[in-house]
Amino acid sequence: MASASHLFSPSSMGMSGSGRCWGRRRNRLIGLRCSMLEEHSAVGSSSSPKPRFPRVVGKGSKLIGCGSAVPKLSISNDDLAEIVETSDEWISVRTGIRKRRILSGDETLTDLAAEAARKALDMAKVEALDVDLILMCTSTPDDLFGTGPQVQRELGCKHALAFDITAACSGFVLGLVTATRYIKGGGFQNVLVIGADALSRYVDWSDRGTCILFGDAAGAMLVQASQEDEDGLLGFDLRTDGQGHRHLHATVKADSSKQNGAAFVPPKPSSYSCIQMNGKEVFRFAVRCVPEVIEAALSDAGLSSADLNWLLLHQANQRIIDAVATRLQIQTGRVLSNLSNYGNTSAASIPLALDEAIRGGQVQQGDVIATAGFGAGLTWGAAIVKWG
Ligand code: UT7
């Protein structure tokens, strides 16, 4: 009887010349599945017989291109005061937010993500065909099965593996760190990290405690393999505490159809609740945990807050940003914020603010930035990065 490894070896299946499949060398079973897909369908087929890149380990990762995109429709605090009992004064004093962008008409999250990614590719001078991996960080995909592949199609990144990372407002930081791991351990060269969310789809527009906070947007970063001494990820720390899930969530609705024991009752199609948030608890969590995780990431980098050029937090509330900056003894002039114009855009907020700061000339080549995401999960994490 043949051993399992023999059964699944490419040569035993007559597939030694099949098309590209990431990870094929390390996982023959996955290679087998990918090759079978290619044989049975013209969609997804590839004529290249081998992986394009040797599997090199120990490389650095440079951040070399960024971009962002926002929907056309802008909603002011006064606009919201027309639909819920609130005021421009309450919203701007308690949150720092003055307006936000909302998807409307036929705009999609895929469109926004692709626009942001195209700008990042342009800045990095990287061709779409040279992108190896697209990490689409979103909790509000256009398709339940993932938006990454649609972004890949829109961009024409035919050689790229593409999938989604779901981690709410921490998504971009997790995506950035994930990109560097694929480069270091997997031999990938060009990785697009996209943070894009449309929380407006899950907001209860009659709840003044949440509807004033959120907006839609996308931001992208091109991370490229580099020499070890040019590494742009200097340190990081990532954390999760599922115990805190109850404080911030949008949970799938339970199926109400009852099985009576005799005949199977088909379940109803699922949907999600609107965003449920205990604002005070999330505020306390952010002010306590974000400085800790930034300090851990700084320690990982062998740096202190005095070495930072910039602090860039997930844009949730200006009072959180100010409290964390004070705790880390970082002066206001070194804190990036564009919250007033866009509100909380979840996974998009960090790359959107970073893109504006880079294109606006605030952040310069070689600047060191402490960035931190935090939110539903609960998840939170910090990365100390060097631009360019
Ligand atoms: O990205 C995920 C991370 N999310 C966050 O970081 C959110 C963190 N939390 C926050 O930013 C804040 O907790 C909020 C901005 C959500 C709320 O601010 P707050 O200072 O914690 O207000 P509160 O919830 O304690 O409410 C204070 C008062 C209440 O009235 P009473 O009970 O004192 O009479 C609320 O009903 O303000 C009232 N209120 C409002 N009033 C006018 C709550 N929302 C509004 C509103 N307009 N939009």
Side-chain angles (χ1 to χ4, degrees):
M1 193 175 147
S3 69
S5 62
H6 172 70
L7 279 175
F8 289 123
S9 77
S11 58
S12 73
M13 301 300 290
M15 293 192 309
S16 53
S18 60
R20 177 187 303 119
C21 257
W22 289 115
R24 188 178 58 171
R25 285 184 182 175
R26 282 171 292 142
N27 189 333
R28 288 175 175 170
L29 184 55
I30 292 173
L32 168 62
R33 288 191 185 131
C34 295
S35 301
M36 287 170 85
L37 278 176
E38 288 171 6
E39 276 176 17
H40 288 287
S41 167
V43 176
S45 67
S46 161
S47 56
S48 172
K50 286 185 189 150
R52 277 183 308 155
F53 304 113
R55 299 288 189 255
V56 182
V57 292
K59 279 189 175 180
S61 307
K62 282 203 324 185
L63 280 51
I64 59 165
C66 59
S68 60
V70 293
K72 286 194 275 300
L73 181 63
S74 179
I75 303 289
S76 69
N77 291 345
D78 286 336
D79 293 331
L80 289 178
E82 301 280 325
I83 59 168
V84 287
E85 202 181 326
T86 190
S87 64
D88 175 46
E89 191 196 353
W90 193 96
I91 301 171
S92 45
V93 169
R94 299 274 182 144
T95 71
I97 300 166
R98 293 194 175 275
K99 50 192 175 177
R100 69 287 291 145
R101 301 293 184 102
I102 303 290
L103 282 179
S104 64
D106 55 6
E107 288 175 323
T108 66
L109 194 69
T110 305
D111 294 337
L112 282 190
E115 188 185 336
R118 256 182 231 110
K119 290 175 183 167
L121 289 175
D122 278 354
M123 186 187 281
K125 298 189 173 53
V126 168
E127 297 295 328
L129 290 177
D130 291 327
V131 175
D132 310 308
L133 174 63
I134 298 171
L135 298 173
M136 174 71 177
C137 309
T138 184
S139 301
T140 52
D142 284 341
D143 188 310
L144 183 65
F145 299 138
T147 295
Q150 293 167 67
V151 175
Q152 184 237 34
R153 179 200 61 210
E154 288 299 304
L155 294 172
C157 295
K158 286 203 294 188
H159 302 146
L161 168 66
F163 60 90
D164 288 15
I165 291 179
T166 307
C169 306
S170 307
F172 183 77
V173 172
L174 266 66
L176 200 57
V177 173
T178 304
T180 64
R181 302 305 95 179
Y182 270 86
I183 288 170
K184 277 184 191 292
F188 287 64
Q189 299 280 310
N190 291 307
V191 182
L192 260 176
V193 186
I194 303 169
D197 262 313
L199 288 186
S200 66
R201 291 168 169 170
Y202 296 97
V203 159
D204 175 354
W205 290 99
S206 65
D207 173 14
R208 67 178 183 174
T210 53
C211 78
I212 53 139
L213 297 173
F214 300 106
D216 306 336
M221 181 68 66
L222 195 283
V223 185
Q224 188 172 66
S226 70
Q227 297 302 316
E228 192 104 50
D229 58 1
E230 295 176 316
D231 198 2
L233 181 68
L234 309 179
F236 68 91
D237 198 65
L238 308 173
R239 301 182 189 188
T240 298
D241 180 6
Q243 298 286 350
H245 169 259
R246 65 188 185 282
H247 298 313
L248 179 52
H249 58 93
T251 314
V252 73
K253 287 185 181 158
D255 175 34
S256 55
S257 29
K258 295 268 182 291
Q259 304 294 335
N260 61 15
F264 168 61
V265 181
K268 299 205 172 65
S270 284
S271 61
Y272 289 89
S273 72
C274 288
I275 296 168
Q276 313 284 312
M277 185 177 74
N278 180 338
K280 276 202 179 312
E281 280 298 332
V282 177
F283 192 101
R284 277 195 213 108
F285 143 74
V287 169
R288 187 180 71 250
C289 294
V290 173
E292 274 173 21
V293 83
I294 291 175
E295 274 165 355
L298 279 167
S299 160
D300 187 40
L303 299 174
S304 76
S305 62
D307 298 311
L308 295 171
N309 297 100
W310 301 103
L311 176 69
L312 171 52
L313 301 189
H314 164 52
Q315 307 282 292
N317 186 320
Q318 192 60 44
R319 290 188 292 141
I320 295 176
I321 296 172
D322 294 343
V324 173
T326 303
R327 189 78 64 88
L328 295 171
Q329 297 184 308
I330 296 175
Q331 291 150 3
T332 313
R334 291 195 286 138
V335 179
L336 297 171
S337 174
N338 65 357
L339 177 72
S340 61
N341 291 330
Y342 304 109
N344 177 343
T345 58
S346 189
S349 84
I350 291 172
L352 173 62
L354 188 53
D355 181 49
E356 287 198 350
I358 288 168
R359 288 175 193 269
Q362 270 179 293
V363 171
Q364 306 274 327
Q365 288 269 332
D367 278 1
V368 176
I369 306 149
T371 184
F374 56 91
L378 302 170
T379 51
W380 65 108
I384 312 300
V385 297
K386 191 169 64 178
W387 166 244

